[in-house]
Amino acid sequence: MNSDDLAWQADNYGGLPPRKVDLLLEHGHLDLVIRAAEERGEWFCAERAAQELCRSHEFGRALKMTEPFVATGWPTALWAKAGILLRAGRTDEALDLVRPDKEGRTSQTVCRHFAELLTRAGRVDEAIDLLVPHIGEPWIRTPWWRSPKARNVTSGCWS
């Protein structure tokens, strides 16, 4: 497993697609979804299983689901882990994990996601400070769900 493979899997719905994973979970097959994530490296299984585990406040198990994906350095997995940490009350650890460097502060995707995470952490003033330099850019006025580059990296348990 590497970050390029994971990006392809996410962009092309490779492996088990999200809808099938959701159906398995709706029918009570969390253990099967967890097994697919662990044995086959299925991102959508890991992501959805982590969301389910968060709903039942099993944050340690949720974090374990993301670890093999985080180990590749794949940004989507890092954001997922940050969301779990935030839900678990480990705010500083969550923010430090995905805090953008100077270069990252120029990326609309990174700024948007980090500002959202800051807001969910109750740090609205910091989120505004992060976004102010981009106030004249068109992307700042576009709702995140309409952005062509938007990824659903902050959904489910991390919302």
Side-chain angles (χ1 to χ4, degrees):
M1 173 187 328
N2 65 49
S3 61
D4 290 336
D5 292 338
L6 291 169
W8 182 90
Q9 190 181 125
D11 290 343
N12 296 292
Y13 296 115
L16 284 172
R19 183 66 190 132
K20 286 185 181 178
V21 176
D22 290 342
L23 287 170
L24 286 168
L25 291 170
E26 286 172 20
H27 289 91
H29 298 288
L30 176 60
D31 290 337
L32 180 64
V33 171
I34 288 172
R35 206 167 72 226
E38 292 173 345
E39 294 174 5
R40 296 177 47 182
E42 295 278 352
W43 168 247
F44 295 120
C45 290
E47 177 188 42
R48 298 307 202 277
Q51 291 169 358
E52 286 295 314
L53 292 166
C54 281
R55 282 186 200 53
S56 60
H57 301 279
E58 295 182 62
F59 302 114
R61 285 183 70 198
L63 287 167
K64 184 179 177 207
M65 293 305 312
T66 64
E67 282 310 315
F69 305 91
V70 169
T72 69
W74 188 41
T76 302
L78 291 169
W79 286 102
K81 180 179 180 178
I84 295 167
L85 290 167
L86 186 65
R87 282 283 305 270
R90 296 162 61 181
T91 304
D92 290 335
E93 193 176 344
L95 295 173
D96 289 344
L97 180 66
V98 292
R99 186 177 309 281
D101 56 14
K102 189 172 186 165
E103 181 181 321
R105 290 176 179 264
T106 64
S107 163
Q108 79 178 45
T109 303
V110 172
C111 282
R112 185 184 302 267
H113 290 312
F114 194 66
E116 182 179 327
L117 194 65
L118 283 167
T119 301
R120 289 191 350 253
R123 298 183 181 184
V124 176
D125 290 340
E126 289 178 55
I128 292 169
D129 289 344
L130 177 69
L131 296 174
V132 164
H134 304 284
I135 211 72
E137 298 176 31
W139 66 264
I140 201 122
R141 295 184 301 274
T142 305
W144 69 268
W145 60 88
R146 289 190 180 161
S147 171
K149 294 183 179 181
R151 284 218 173 163
N152 192 9
V153 298
T154 55
S155 67
C157 100
W158 12 103
S159 61

